[in-house]
Amino acid sequence: MDDYFVPQVMPFVGREEIANLTQVINNKWLTEGPFSKDFIAKIKNYTGAPYAVLANNGTLGLFLSLLASNIGPGDEVIVPDLTFIASATSVMFCGAKPVFVDVEADTWNIDTTLIEQAITERTKAIMPVHLYGQSADMGPVLELARRYNLKIIEDAAQGYGVFYKGTHTGVLGDVGVISFFADKTITSGEGAVILTHDQDVFNRLSYLRNQGRLNSGTFIHPFLGMNFRLTDLQAAIGVAQIEKFPMIVNKRLENYQRYQMQLEGIPGLKFLAIRGFSNLVPFRFNLIVDDLAGLITHLENNRIQTRGVFFPLHRQPCLQQVCMEGQEFPNADYASAHGLSLPVYNDLTIEQIDYVCSTIKDFVT
Ligand SMILES: *Cc1c(COP(=O)(O)O)cnc(C)c1O
């Protein structure tokens, strides 16, 4: 919609991305090539991951990670109830079963105190999700994984730049996926990276992503594989974005703090808590409000594009076959019914933020 004064998302792309794209066109090498190599090298350097492969998007990156972790029929994977649908569908498409666990009321990340009771003989992995720019509490997840011999597959789709106690998200568990979809912190349009420190997993990822062979150009395929590659056009955008990341995160933090300052202490409005073990790379500015429907209508009427938070997985029509009767997820339900996301993207102006805040104040006070 063009007539929003404040749209919800806006990728921060321009001159630098165009320059890199021009280079790809001039090179006449459109599939994975020099920019893909550079993209991977830069990601490994920044995240500290010993091994990384690119994937065509975060959803297929999760699917690929699960396949490379040998998750399949009969297996269960523990997934938080409040996340994007891909955290669960990637498990389903492996033939395994996602088992849902409620989230914390004040961070919307997985409630680690509820994981142990969800573990069964069939549990093979835990998939913590790092939502809205802060890390899930990985200490207890790592401890449980050790104790029950489970894999950890991190959905760090929103986690670029987010560190848990100094370690980058996606590198804490066995495998981790960062998405570069257009609304993520940095983007390549579509795209993702899979991180691991397990050489066997890296080998399986390398074969699986490229038709069951290591190098294109051969028609002998030692293993079954698929095509999970992206293009050098996407990697060229990604490389430009990584170089701009320090500026991106600073601006997002400024925007986040401007909301916080103006909306602090208003009755009926709550913010998410930020835990001490994580830094914050704002993905959105989230509010918890009593009258969500009323506020959304008010904001939309004032040309501010709104976004709720995720719909709980246990309520998803497409996941009813794996849901257990009578299980309750009060925090995911509450977040979904009362959570609102406000934009923090780089091109957002001070005037736009102030306009959003005063429009909210009009409504609640
Ligand atoms: C965006 C997102 C994904 C999926 O990534 P795509 O690149 O859009 O396929 C998965 N999980 C979470 C939490 C996300 O935010």
Side-chain angles (χ1 to χ4, degrees):
M1 291 263 296
D2 308 335
D3 57 345
Y4 278 115
F5 176 58
V6 185
Q8 175 72 209
V9 288
M10 182 89 69
F12 186 55
V13 287
R15 243 179 323 113
E16 300 83 354
E17 287 75 12
I18 291 170
N20 285 4
L21 283 169
T22 304
Q23 221 176 304
V24 176
I25 301 291
N26 288 338
N27 287 347
K28 308 224 180 280
W29 192 277
L30 304 186
T31 58
E32 289 183 352
F35 275 110
S36 305
K37 275 208 184 76
D38 192 21
F39 196 23
I40 290 182
K42 285 185 159 62
I43 293 166
K44 281 166 65 176
N45 181 49
Y46 179 67
T47 60
Y51 304 102
V53 302
L54 298 174
N56 27 21
N57 58 59
T59 305
L60 290 173
L62 286 170
F63 176 51
L64 185 55
S65 301
L66 290 157
L67 289 177
S69 305
N70 296 320
I71 307 282
D75 297 338
E76 293 179 358
V77 179
I78 292 174
V79 175
D81 191 50
L82 192 78
T83 173
F84 185 57
I85 191 78
S87 312
T89 49
S90 56
V91 176
M92 301 282 283
F93 272 76
C94 289
K97 180 184 167 190
V99 171
F100 307 129
V101 163
D102 204 4
V103 295
E104 297 175 330
D106 61 344
T107 67
W108 299 346
N109 277 329
I110 192 163
D111 183 342
T112 58
T113 65
L114 300 176
I115 293 175
E116 189 162 18
Q117 66 198 56
I119 295 173
T120 73
E121 262 131 58
R122 291 177 297 280
T123 308
K124 283 285 157 57
I126 306 172
M127 184 189 288
V129 184
H130 308 289
L131 277 190
Y132 294 113
Q134 75 170 317
S135 168
D137 189 1
M138 290 301 289
V141 177
L142 288 159
E143 162 58 22
L144 284 166
R146 221 174 358 247
R147 193 135 48 86
Y148 289 92
N149 195 24
L150 307 174
K151 302 256 189 250
I152 300 175
I153 290 138
E154 294 177 72
D155 180 342
Q158 304 180 2
Y160 192 83
V162 179
F163 291 78
Y164 171 82
K165 295 186 178 172
T167 304
H168 198 281
T169 52
V171 189
L172 292 139
D174 297 274
V175 205
V177 179
I178 300 173
S179 164
F180 301 118
F181 182 63
D183 81 336
K184 308 299 193 212
T185 307
I186 59 169
T187 182
S188 57
E190 298 270 4
V193 68
I194 305 174
L195 309 172
T196 182
H197 37 71
D198 183 329
Q199 194 175 3
D200 293 335
V201 171
F202 171 68
N203 280 336
R204 284 195 292 274
L205 288 169
S206 303
Y207 279 101
L208 279 165
R209 72 183 299 277
N210 191 19
Q211 312 282 20
R213 63 192 169 181
L214 285 182
N215 296 305
S216 299
T218 169
F219 293 113
I220 301 169
H221 305 261
F223 299 105
L224 286 176
M226 269 282 137
N227 181 348
F228 290 92
R229 301 184 309 254
L230 40 62
T231 66
D232 233 36
L233 293 156
Q234 291 160 300
I237 298 174
V239 165
Q241 291 270 294
I242 285 192
E243 283 164 357
K244 283 159 47 172
F245 177 71
M247 179 167 72
I248 290 177
V249 67
N250 282 344
K251 183 64 175 16
R252 281 175 174 248
L253 278 167
E254 264 175 49
N255 291 344
Y256 187 96
Q257 282 154 6
R258 195 166 182 94
Y259 280 116
Q260 206 169 23
M261 257 164 40
Q262 296 190 49
L263 298 175
E264 195 117 63
I266 296 177
L269 286 188
K270 269 190 287 189
F271 308 152
L272 288 187
I274 309 298
R275 299 277 193 251
F277 51 67
S278 179
N279 65 325
L280 176 68
V281 179
F283 187 71
R284 298 286 195 278
F285 186 82
N286 294 103
L287 284 177
I288 302 170
V289 296
D290 295 338
D291 181 7
L292 178 65
L295 181 56
I296 285 178
T297 306
H298 180 69
L299 293 173
E300 292 278 337
N301 286 342
N302 285 284
R303 301 193 300 138
I304 297 164
Q305 191 175 25
T306 56
R307 182 79 43 100
V309 305
F310 299 116
F311 193 57
L313 295 182
H314 77 280
R315 296 192 180 276
Q316 293 289 354
C318 66
L319 295 174
Q320 286 312 301
Q321 55 191 300
V322 294
C323 289
M324 279 183 280
E325 286 282 310
Q327 263 198 306
E328 297 198 349
F329 303 86
N331 292 343
D333 279 336
Y334 194 87
S336 179
H338 296 276
L340 182 72
S341 290
L342 299 172
V344 292
Y345 52 80
N346 285 67
D347 286 326
L348 202 64
T349 63
I350 286 175
E351 291 70 34
Q352 283 174 310
I353 297 174
D354 293 356
Y355 174 73
V356 172
C357 292
S358 63
T359 310
I360 292 174
K361 284 185 203 162
D362 282 349
F363 180 77
V364 293
T365 56

